[in-house]
Amino acid sequence: MKIEYDVKLYKEIANFKVNELVQVSNRKGQRSTIQITNITRLSWQQLQLLVSSGADRFSKMVYLYREYSSRKDVSESVIKGKPLSQNESDEINEYIRIFRDHDLTKHHEVNDIITERNDWDKFKTIRSLNDHGKHKDIPGIQPHYFEVVCNILKISGEGGLSLDGYKKY
């Protein structure tokens, strides 16, 4: 269904703030994470992955806006994908904030800062003790969240030691 463009509604959508991380999959099953802060800044591809309804960009933005503005918990009836929990989102956002504030390029640098500050208790949901072969029980984040952070920052984990295993703590 196509929703006719409305300048007033577009301005409402543009001024509406969202802070949500959503994991989606494309038709081939490839997973990615979309960070939604401003609905009008989402790409066409992101909108297509998030919302099945709507024939054009504006219609998809309206469906997304209505879903987020109408209630706190977003149903999966309109939005495709799985929103991360509030704890997951908060911790990932804090992890990314450290990444950006210190202009870092590698995950281990963030992990080192968190370890130096003795702040791993702030990351109870995403933290893990990682096994990199020769190096066991290295404080870090679980592989699932590592992938989320890489998707958001548009970086890869290349160059680091491969992960042989991990355990939550």
Side-chain angles (χ1 to χ4, degrees):
M1 178 179 11
K2 181 177 169 125
I3 298 171
E4 289 302 314
Y5 183 78
D6 179 337
V7 173
K8 182 181 174 196
L9 181 55
Y10 182 86
K11 286 180 183 179
E12 280 180 41
I13 296 170
N15 290 320
F16 184 74
K17 301 299 176 216
V18 180
N19 188 16
E20 186 86 43
L21 295 171
V22 180
Q23 290 195 305
V24 294
S25 297
N26 66 12
R27 286 184 223 164
K28 295 178 182 176
Q30 195 172 30
R31 288 186 334 189
S32 60
T33 304
I34 300 173
Q35 185 175 28
I36 306 170
T37 53
N38 184 319
I39 294 170
T40 59
R41 291 192 179 154
L42 294 171
S43 70
W44 171 246
Q45 181 185 13
Q46 290 171 323
L47 287 167
Q48 284 183 302
L49 289 170
L50 286 166
V51 184
S52 54
S53 303
D56 61 5
R57 181 175 167 74
F58 181 71
S59 299
K60 288 184 181 293
M61 286 190 296
V62 170
Y63 282 115
L64 202 56
Y65 169 70
R66 286 179 181 163
E67 195 70 23
Y68 277 109
S69 64
S70 66
R71 61 183 109 87
K72 211 167 191 151
D73 293 326
V74 178
S75 72
E76 293 185 25
S77 61
V78 174
I79 297 177
K80 297 187 290 185
K82 179 184 173 226
L84 297 178
S85 74
Q86 190 61 52
N87 285 344
E88 290 171 317
S89 292
D90 291 346
E91 292 177 22
I92 289 170
N93 284 328
E94 178 62 17
Y95 192 89
I96 290 170
R97 188 190 62 74
I98 294 169
F99 221 108
R100 289 179 173 155
D101 285 355
H102 295 276
D103 201 27
L104 303 174
T105 57
K106 303 213 180 330
H107 283 268
H108 79 85
E109 297 169 320
V110 178
N111 298 341
D112 291 344
I113 288 172
I114 295 169
T115 300
E116 287 170 17
R117 294 178 179 172
N118 200 24
D119 277 348
W120 280 109
D121 280 344
K122 293 180 180 177
F123 301 90
K124 289 180 180 179
T125 307
I126 69 170
R127 70 184 180 185
S128 64
L129 293 172
N130 298 329
D131 177 0
H132 294 281
K134 293 188 267 181
H135 309 289
K136 295 183 186 279
D137 293 341
I138 305 297
I141 61 175
Q142 297 172 43
H144 172 73
Y145 302 114
F146 177 86
E147 179 185 335
V148 170
V149 170
C150 287
N151 279 326
I152 291 169
L153 295 174
K154 297 182 182 12
I155 60 172
S156 69
E158 291 179 30
L161 293 172
S162 62
L163 184 66
D164 291 338
Y166 73 96
K167 59 183 172 186
K168 299 178 192 180
Y169 73 101

